[in-house]
Amino acid sequence: MKIAILPGDGIGPEVTAQSARVLRAVVGNRVDLRMEEAPIGQAGVDAAGVPLPGATLALAQAADAILFGAVGGPTDELPDRSKRPGSGLLKLRKSLSLFANFRPAVLFPELIGASTLRPDVVAGVDMLILRELNGDLYFGEPRGVHLENGRRVGVNTMRYSEDEVARIAHVGFQAARQRRGKLCSVDKANVLETMQLWRDVVTEVSREYPDVALTHLYVDAASMMLIRAPKQFDVIVTGNVFGDILSDAAAMLTGSIGMLPSASLGIGAGVAGAKVPGLYEPVHGSAPDIAGRDIANPLASVLSAAMMLRHSLGLPEEALRIERAVRAVLANGYRTADIHQAGTRLVGTAEMGDAVVKALDFAT
Ligand code: IPM
Ligand code: MG
């Protein structure tokens, strides 16, 4: 199986090195994993002048799965957006039609004290944020900054077609079916026409899933509920922009954004047992302030590798083994700086990777 490794920038290479190791260790020699690395983001700009070099895209297109690190760097502020590191990731998601971004936010009981929220509020949090990834303000036209009467005006367009909403809604209902049967659709239908269409289409699709309990929330109320009573959520389905924001907020329920994995999938996403190509990306960014210091938490990347085994490689047992190993390592007190508390053992990025690899042996 071909795995494209796109470490990117900042802490990306450090955390990806650990998850690639864990992947190799968990499959052993039962599966022939061909890993090939290519630059993306600032690394792409440095190597080939653009954030998503042609050779990187070709490698990603040919792969069964892509393990991505993070992007961001000095060219982040360039006026030419196509040269910004983040645009490499956006182009990759769009070019491969990876429209369904699975962002599970699960609190490991061992980390209950690491959240900034009260333990009784976050205990038992286990939700899936399903973010649409190919539409919305991120890609809508027209866009740009132009002059009107000598003044700059900025324009972005919120745009969704009914088929784009329907396809992510189907993925949401199917995901809810495989979990606790609850789907909450988040929109802003009270103000935005695009979001009224979103709500209407999700409601239409719901007729095919009478076994799933559908609710709707406006995004402002949803963000409050995420903090006030997060346990009520099973699957949240939402657009690209709201999903970007809500998933960062949800990350803090679990203690650290350094714990949150994600999978970006295309057609076939969410269908039980389906094996689809996908892009596996931790939710966190490139964290330039801590890059190169061996202190970043690699677990979001490691857990993303577990999602890869489950959704793209057809190896669900191995996925479980990684997840159990992570749990064991946390239970044994290993903590990177972002989740460290008194009485636990502070370890660096590589040491955390070592610990997970060792724990795999006992996590069968
Ligand atoms: C994310 C990130 C990206 C996004 C950035 C890096 C372009 O914030 O994956 O959540 O906005 O989608
Ligand atoms: Mg984000």
Side-chain angles (χ1 to χ4, degrees):
M1 285 187 239
K2 289 192 212 146
I3 318 285
I5 309 273
L6 313 183
D9 314 317
I11 60 169
E14 296 164 63
V15 297
T16 310
Q18 298 311 316
S19 52
R21 259 181 86 192
V22 171
L23 257 183
R24 281 199 191 287
V26 79
V27 301
N29 40 29
R30 283 189 310 282
V31 183
D32 180 15
L33 286 188
R34 305 253 162 101
M35 297 190 182
E36 202 176 320
E37 209 177 295
I40 190 168
Q42 184 64 44
V45 174
D46 296 344
V50 283
L52 183 62
T56 302
L57 179 58
L59 183 75
Q61 267 159 340
D64 294 290
I66 307 156
L67 185 61
F68 168 87
V71 287
T75 50
D76 253 336
E77 319 292 322
L78 280 184
D80 179 359
R81 282 182 175 271
S82 66
K83 291 274 160 65
R84 293 186 185 185
S87 73
L89 175 60
L90 299 178
K91 195 168 163 198
L92 186 62
R93 291 169 176 169
K94 186 79 172 173
S95 314
L96 301 182
S97 300
L98 303 169
F99 68 90
N101 183 213
F102 288 68
R103 298 191 158 184
V106 180
L107 175 76
F108 285 89
E110 292 79 14
L111 294 186
I112 194 155
S115 175
T116 48
L117 296 183
R118 265 193 348 247
D120 62 298
V121 174
V122 294
V125 160
D126 178 355
M127 74 179 81
L128 170 67
I129 298 190
L130 181 63
R131 169 188 177 194
E132 200 290 330
L133 213 50
N134 280 180
D136 208 340
L137 285 169
Y138 273 62
F139 296 98
E141 299 281 348
R143 65 185 298 158
V145 175
H146 63 270
L147 286 179
E148 269 176 32
N149 303 324
R151 291 185 182 203
R152 285 169 301 162
V153 175
V155 176
N156 286 95
T157 303
M158 180 175 268
R159 185 186 157 137
Y160 269 117
S161 68
E162 60 178 323
D163 44 302
E164 286 172 315
V165 180
R167 71 177 179 176
I168 192 72
H170 280 289
V171 177
F173 284 106
Q174 272 152 17
R177 257 187 188 164
Q178 292 163 54
R179 295 174 45 102
R180 301 193 298 278
K182 287 166 59 181
L183 180 67
C184 177
S185 171
V186 172
D187 61 41
K188 189 69 188 175
N190 51 342
V191 178
L192 305 169
E193 288 79 358
T194 313
M195 290 285 107
Q196 183 65 53
L197 176 72
W198 176 282
R199 186 173 287 217
D200 294 345
V201 173
V202 172
T203 305
E204 286 156 28
V205 170
S206 74
R207 294 188 194 116
E208 293 174 48
Y209 302 88
D211 51 322
V212 174
L214 172 68
T215 53
H216 302 273
L217 276 179
Y218 298 135
V219 65
D220 48 353
S223 65
M224 184 185 72
M225 282 301 181
L226 261 184
I227 309 301
R228 189 169 101 179
K231 260 171 286 191
Q232 68 184 285
F233 294 109
D234 181 12
V235 181
I236 291 179
V237 64
T238 189
N240 205 346
V241 173
F242 298 160
D244 178 42
I245 300 166
L246 293 180
S247 57
D248 268 32
M252 290 320 294
L253 306 170
T254 72
S256 167
I257 197 161
M259 294 299 301
L260 245 67
S262 98
S264 304
L265 309 175
I267 302 293
V271 177
K275 223 168 104 177
V276 293
L279 168 68
Y280 296 86
E281 27 172 332
V283 173
H284 64 69
S286 62
D289 51 324
I290 60 164
R293 292 166 52 196
D294 191 44
I295 58 175
N297 186 348
L299 294 180
S301 185
V302 168
L303 292 167
S304 300
M307 293 184 85
M308 173 192 291
L309 290 161
R310 184 172 290 120
H311 297 288
S312 290
L313 305 184
L315 297 168
E317 313 262 298
E318 282 75 2
L320 258 180
R321 248 176 92 203
I322 292 185
E323 287 157 356
R324 289 200 191 111
V326 167
R327 181 86 197 265
V329 159
L330 294 172
N332 287 332
Y334 290 81
R335 300 285 189 277
T336 41
D338 57 318
I339 48 176
H340 183 247
Q341 289 171 282
T344 62
R345 174 167 167 193
L346 181 63
V347 295
T349 312
E351 218 181 331
M352 186 60 112
D354 290 343
V356 175
V357 168
K358 285 200 195 100
L360 286 175
D361 292 339
F362 307 99
T364 43

